[in-house]
Amino acid sequence: MNIIEVKSLSYAINGKKILDNVNAVFAEGKITAIIGANGSGKSTLMSFLSKTRRSANAVYFRGQDVDKISAEHYALQVSVLPQRQKMVADFRVEDVVLMGRFPYKKKFRDYTAEDRKISRRAMESVGIIDMAKRKLSQMSGGEIQRVLIAKALAQEPELILMDEPTNHLDVKYKLALMKTLRAYGKTVIIVLHDLSLAIQYCDAVVVMVAGKVLTQGKTAEIMQPALLEKIFGVPFVKFERDGRTYINY
Amino acid sequence: MRISLRKNLYLRAALLTLILIAGMIIAVGFGSIKIETAAVIDEFANYLRGLKTDSPNAMIIFDIRIPRILFAAISGAILSLTGMLMQTVSQNYLADPYILGVSSGAGMGAVFCIITGAAQIFAPYGVYVGAFFGATLATVIVVRIAGTSNNPIKLVLIGMGISALFSAFTMLEIYGSKNEAQVRSAMFWLMGSFTGIQWAMVPITFAVLMMLMIFIWLFRHELDLILLGREEAQHLGLSTERMQQAVVLISSLAIAITVSIAGIIGFIGLVIPHIARFIGESRHAVMVWFTSLIGAVVMVWADVMARSMFSPEEVPIGILTACLGAPVFMQIINRQYKDS
């Protein structure tokens, strides 16, 4: 079963094609990585999946055109972790995570005890429960990233969209994040630069080159040195150790 | 149980309320004629006991000073809350009705209505209507030109341009006017003043303050989301555009009323939310109380300074807030926007 299907999606800015007839499917309950060189259209594709851009009948969520799904309703099923933007707000960690419950909140009302319980659980799952009272201004980029990840989890979505979430994270937290996503058990679509993470934690891979989907399929079949060399222009080696697969350049 | 000021928001808010009320009582004594606090309290006691006195002190206190102090407190809260709303919607802590040119727009609209006689069409609210259109026009222009730019300095520079333009229009209108009686004074529309505040002006400003506070309270969670980030808010299912339009409308209305009555008072809307975030916290459920309380306290004392610095002469309040606020504005830019 596919949770999201992209059918013949093209997109251009000032005549320059950013996405060129993209077709892709994302399987329910799986973690799918989108990989590709800089400027290959990964983030743009994500912006269509997250409903940031109107898709003109090209993106379907469980068979329904996403343009026809209201933002309120979509937020109940899909949570989005965009590439980090500059933030001025100096909220406490627990308040930010609680905002993930906004789609469930009744108008003009406060968040419920249930909402607080769920957001506490989300903070525990990314290991920031001890920082709950701290303010964002007292935190590092990586810590803030984990707060936003907790917020995405508190949203209890069927699908999580993440654009390079590992960017600000130490190795330890990169691995912890991928494990958390695995444990969450729902569908995840994630733009990744770290190919080793993709090969270890993702079920499927979509490979983008110059606005097109070059290929997509099961991770083990796609992540071959020959193909990666073609995409990124540098030689790759793939090796196994203790039953795990690694890829390096 | 030990009560900690550092941890307890309610305690801090209560303390601020106390400071506000005490300040307002003390402020009654200041002015071109100094009245001792003991005498002020005496007059209050007489009033509460139902004893009417026609002493000059009583007249000064009840007819001149009290409405003025009430108005100062209310307008301080309104300007601060409006500044806070603008900072939230633009995610820019440099935003303020004065800096973005909204106050100048209101001033221009008011003067235009008075001079062309259009004010009579909507009498007795003609000046307010004119100011409202001017303020809305200025806000719409700022929002249009700044677009979705997330460069905080760009927004400020556009605001400066708009402010310069509307101030020039105001001066042109005043300069071209044949009927001097129609124009109270050029300085009034360019730099605010609390001279001539009467009881009649207090209820309407109080109504505006209530409207602002209720709006912010009802949408406290939505405003939190927008402050976190417009994109984040949209992904959580919030229509940020509709929220932005509501804020534009309500803040234009608030600014129109205060500017119509007291002229342009700058920098309060910029500085107070910063202090409120420092003493309180960033959530709007907290900010709505702290911003209005601190705004009221500061304005009451700024007005005391304005009345007593060169007593019996009075400094227009707008000049005073600019003297105090402009250095803070520069300091905020210097601290928060380091060259990368």
Side-chain angles (χ1 to χ4, degrees), chain B residues 8-21 290 293:
Chain B
N8 197 325
L9 277 173
Y10 293 105
L11 201 64
R12 272 177 274 170
L15 200 65
L16 275 171
T17 312
L18 214 64
I19 293 173
L20 174 64
I21 294 169
F290 280 75
L293 281 170

Side-chain angles (χ1 to χ4, degrees), chain A residues 22-152:
Chain A
V22 168
N23 288 284
V25 292
F26 298 92
E28 179 124 36
K30 305 283 186 204
I31 300 184
T32 305
I34 301 178
I35 64 168
N38 289 333
S40 57
K42 304 183 298 286
S43 293
T44 311
L45 176 60
M46 285 300 259
S47 71
F48 281 102
L49 301 182
S50 65
K51 251 172 82 69
T52 308
R53 290 193 168 91
R54 290 186 67 81
S55 74
N57 310 321
V59 180
Y60 293 82
F61 180 84
R62 288 187 169 149
Q64 199 183 358
D65 184 350
V66 292
D67 284 351
K68 299 205 170 73
I69 306 175
S70 73
E72 291 95 330
H73 195 68
Y74 207 56
L76 290 170
Q77 319 207 38
V78 180
S79 81
V80 183
L81 193 79
Q83 270 188 46
R84 261 283 299 297
Q85 349 168 20
K86 216 174 145 188
M87 232 186 304
V88 291
D90 192 18
F91 292 115
R92 281 178 207 289
V93 169
E94 56 184 2
D95 297 327
V96 175
V97 177
L98 199 51
M99 288 180 205
R101 301 301 299 167
F102 182 80
Y104 299 88
K105 194 181 73 62
K106 287 214 177 70
K107 211 164 184 152
F108 304 141
R109 296 290 188 75
D110 271 316
Y111 296 100
T112 63
E114 176 75 7
D115 290 330
R116 288 175 196 281
K117 213 170 85 192
I118 291 166
S119 69
R120 280 191 74 80
R121 224 162 33 215
M123 284 190 276
E124 275 162 12
S125 72
V126 297
I128 54 166
I129 193 79
D130 300 337
M131 306 178 191
K133 298 281 179 202
R134 265 167 67 186
K135 286 186 172 181
L136 292 182
S137 61
Q138 303 159 350
M139 306 181 86
S140 69
E143 286 170 336
I144 292 176
Q145 188 70 350
R146 285 155 66 203
V147 174
L148 296 177
I149 291 164
K151 176 168 77 71

